Amino acid sequence: MSSSLNGAESPTESPTRYRRAGAPRKVASSLARDVGPCLSSLVSLLLLAAHLLFCYGQLVGKADDCPGFNNSHGCPPEVVQRANSMMEVDLHARLAYHADGPLAMLTALVEDAACHARCPAGEEGLDPGAPPLCSKVSCDECVEVLGVTSMQHCRAEIEMPVAHMSYLYAVTQLWGQDASPLCQRGDEPTCTHQYPGRPASAVLVVFSFIWPHVKLLLLHLFFYAPLTPLLRRNGNYWLAFFGKWTLADVLVMYAQRPDPAPSRKGGCTG
C-alpha cells in the first residue's frame, strides 16, 4: 500500500500495461508532408507516368492485330518490329533443298503452278499475281533437258508474322470466341453459341485493366493521407500482396497454351 501511495509500481500491476501507458502515442501523419513538396511532386509525377504507361499498353496495337477476330485481313507479309502487343509470334525459317530426276520435275511443276515460274529467283522476275511467299524462294541452279526440269538447287528464307495480339484483342477474342474453333463469323452452322472464354476475359479486365489503376490510386492516397504508421504499413502490405494480380494477363496467356503431348514412358502393361 505504501509503495502505491509513493508512486512506485505495485507488485500486482501488469508491467505490460504500465509500458503501454507510458509509450509515446502514435500520431497520424502524411508522408507527403514529411518529405516536402519537391519529393512529393516527384512521387506524383511517377505515379501519373505509371498510369499513362498502363493506358498505353492496354489501348494501343488494336489496328495491328492479325489475323484478327472476325476479320478478313491477315498479317502483313513482312516482319515489322512493334512494341504494342501483349504477344507477337514471328516465323523465321531457312530451308535449302536439292532435287534430281522425277523429284525435280515434280518440284518444278508445283513451283510453276504456285509461283508461275519453274525456276524461282526471288523477287527478280516475280509474276505480279504470285503469292508473296514465292518471293522468298530462290534457286541457285536449275537444269532442264528438252523442257523438263532434271535438277534444282534452291533455298527459301521465310520471315513473316504469324500472330499479333494486343490487350484489347485478347479481351474481345476470349469474350466472343465460340466453343467451336470452326465458328469465326458467328453465323456458321458449326457455332454452338457457347463462350467458355468469357470468365477468363472478365478476369483479364478486372485484374489487368481496372486493378492496376486502382492500386496506383490507393498508393497515391497512402502517400498523402494522414495515417498512423500501423495503418500505412498494413495498407502497403496488402497492396503488395494483391498487386501481383496485375499479372493476370500472363496467367491467361499461360492457360491458353495448347496441352503438351503426353509423355510416353516404357513399362509393362498387364
Side-chain angles (χ1 to χ4, degrees), residues 264-270:
R264 297 181 180 178
K265 297 181 179 180
C268 299
T269 57

Coordinates of all heavy atoms in Angstrom, one line a residue, residues 264-270:
R264 N 5.5 -40.5 -73.1 CA 5.4 -42.0 -73.3 C 6.6 -42.6 -72.6 O 7.7 -42.4 -73.0 CB 5.4 -42.4 -74.8 CG 4.2 -41.8 -75.6 CD 4.3 -42.2 -77.0 NE 3.2 -41.7 -77.8 CZ 3.0 -41.9 -79.1 NH1 3.9 -42.6 -79.8 NH2 1.9 -41.4 -79.7
K265 N 6.3 -43.3 -71.6 CA 7.3 -44.0 -70.8 C 7.2 -45.5 -70.9 O 6.1 -46.0 -71.0 CB 7.2 -43.6 -69.3 CG 7.4 -42.1 -69.1 CD 7.3 -41.7 -67.6 CE 7.5 -40.3 -67.3 NZ 7.4 -39.9 -65.9
G266 N 8.3 -46.1 -71.0 CA 8.3 -47.5 -71.1 C 7.9 -48.2 -69.9 O 8.0 -47.7 -68.7
G267 N 7.3 -49.3 -70.0 CA 6.9 -50.1 -68.8 C 6.1 -51.3 -69.2 O 5.8 -51.5 -70.4
C268 N 5.7 -52.1 -68.3 CA 5.0 -53.3 -68.5 C 3.5 -53.0 -68.3 O 3.1 -52.3 -67.3 CB 5.4 -54.4 -67.6 SG 7.2 -54.9 -67.9
T269 N 2.7 -53.5 -69.2 CA 1.2 -53.4 -69.0 C 0.6 -54.8 -68.9 O 1.0 -55.7 -69.6 CB 0.6 -52.7 -70.2 OG1 0.9 -53.4 -71.4 CG2 1.1 -51.2 -70.3
G270 N -0.4 -54.9 -68.0 CA -0.9 -56.2 -67.8 C -2.1 -56.5 -68.7 O -2.6 -55.6 -69.4

